[in-house]
Amino acid sequence: AAEERRRLGLGDEPIRDIFALLERNGCRILRRPFPENVAISGVFIFLEAQNAAFALINSAHTACRQVFTAAHEYCHYLKDRHDAPLIDTLEIFGEKPRAIGGRGGSRLVTGGIKPMNGQLTNGLREVGPGAKEQFAQVFAAHFLMPPAKVREVVDKDFGSGRRLSFDDVLLIKRYFGTSAQAMLRTLRDLDLISAARYEDFLSLDPVAREREVFGASAEEHGPVSSFVSDRYNLLVSEDTARRKTT
C-alpha cells in the first residue's frame, strides 16, 4: 500500500475521491444498489482479452463502506486480476449483512467464480476470507489510513500518551474518510487504543454520536441509487454529440 501511494504521488494525506483515483488508474467503477438480502459488498472483474478491469460497488451500503470496498477491489486489481472474477461480502470485511436470506452471510460461490479456499457444502462452495482477502483487507486499511499519518494525527491533535475518547476516534475517522470500525481496528493494531477499549467502542453507535457531535455522519444509509463515473458520463456526452452531428 505504501509503495502504491508513492507510485501515485499521494504522499500520506487522506484520499478524498478513491473512485476517481481508481478510474484514472485503469479500474472502471460502477456503483449500484443490491437488494438487502444480498450480502455482496463488491465484485472485481478482469477481461483479459480486452485488458479491461471493472469494480462493482454496492451503493446500498454506507459511503464509508463503499470507500473501503473500493480500496479492497483496487488491491485485487493490482495483485489478483488474473484470478477474477472475485466476489467480496460483508463477512470478508468483518461485518454482517442487514439481511442474509437464510445463508448466514457466507460467501457462496457457483459457476465460474474462483474461490480462495473452502469446502463444498450442499453443491455450493462456501468460501471464507482466505489469504488473498486478508491481504486485500490489510492493503485497504493501509492505503486509506497510512499508519505513520495516523500516528502523526493522533500526536498532533491529542498529544502523545493521551487516552483517546470515542469522540476523538470519530474525529480521526472523519479526517481519513473511513468508518469508525475501520479506524478502531487501525488504532488497536497501532496500540493507540487497548484491546479492551476497542471492544467497548465497537459496541457504541457511531452514527448517532457522530451526528450529535459533528452534525452529520457518512455512516448513515442515504438514498439508494446507482452512480456512474465522470469518465462514463463524458463518453456518453461525446457519443450523443457525435450522433447529433451525423
Side-chain angles (χ1 to χ4, degrees):
E3 289 173 2
E4 182 63 10
R5 273 182 160 267
R6 282 194 294 271
R7 187 182 77 84
L8 298 174
L10 297 176
D12 59 2
E13 291 301 310
I15 299 171
R16 297 307 178 192
D17 189 345
I18 192 167
F19 307 110
L21 180 70
L22 267 61
E23 282 277 341
R24 288 198 305 272
N25 286 278
C27 184
R28 307 308 181 207
I29 299 293
L30 174 62
R31 291 187 285 162
R32 65 174 301 165
F34 288 18
E36 285 194 0
N37 65 338
V38 175
I40 294 174
S41 188
V43 179
F44 175 74
I45 298 171
F46 181 65
L47 305 178
E48 193 163 359
Q50 292 83 9
N51 193 32
F54 301 88
L56 174 62
I57 310 294
N58 187 350
S59 63
H61 293 167
T62 65
C64 291
R65 163 53 52 218
Q66 293 178 54
V67 166
F68 203 95
T69 300
H72 184 105
E73 304 308 328
Y74 189 51
C75 182
H76 288 325
Y77 168 65
L78 296 173
K79 184 174 178 288
D80 308 316
R81 66 182 68 180
H82 296 293
D83 293 325
L86 297 169
I87 298 177
D88 298 312
T89 68
L90 282 174
E91 186 182 48
I92 289 172
F93 295 90
E95 297 181 11
K96 294 182 179 179
R98 288 177 291 168
I100 56 180
R103 288 189 171 182
S106 299
R107 180 180 164 204
L108 296 169
V109 179
T110 59
I113 304 300
K114 297 181 181 180
M116 268 62 77
N117 52 37
Q119 58 185 359
L120 289 175
T121 305
N122 296 327
L124 297 173
R125 184 176 294 272
E126 185 172 353
V127 182
K132 190 171 299 182
E133 296 299 348
Q134 292 175 25
F135 187 98
Q137 280 297 88
V138 175
F139 172 91
H142 284 243
F143 192 64
L144 294 170
M145 300 167 285
K149 185 64 176 181
V150 173
R151 289 187 181 278
E152 177 189 318
V153 169
V154 170
D155 289 345
K156 182 177 180 180
D157 289 354
F158 308 108
S160 180
R162 168 172 164 172
R163 195 182 189 205
L164 295 177
S165 68
F166 188 58
D167 290 353
D168 296 338
V169 173
L170 294 179
L171 179 63
I172 300 168
K173 78 97 177 174
R174 286 171 66 86
Y175 177 72
F176 286 96
T178 60
S179 68
Q181 185 185 56
M183 181 53 66
L184 283 169
R185 284 203 202 101
T186 295
L187 294 171
R188 178 199 61 189
D189 294 344
L190 294 175
D191 292 324
L192 293 172
I193 60 172
S194 67
R197 205 158 180 78
Y198 166 81
E199 294 294 340
D200 289 342
F201 288 163
L202 203 59
S203 66
L204 302 177
D205 178 11
V207 175
R209 184 58 182 168
E210 187 175 3
R211 197 188 310 118
E212 180 182 350
V213 176
F214 300 103
S217 172
E219 301 199 53
E220 296 182 85
H221 289 276
V224 177
S225 56
S226 298
F227 302 89
V228 296
S229 69
D230 290 342
R231 183 188 300 271
Y232 177 82
N233 285 325
L234 179 62
L235 289 173
V236 170
S237 176
E238 291 175 346
D239 183 65
T240 301
R242 191 182 305 112
R243 288 173 184 271
K244 288 181 178 179
T245 57
T246 57

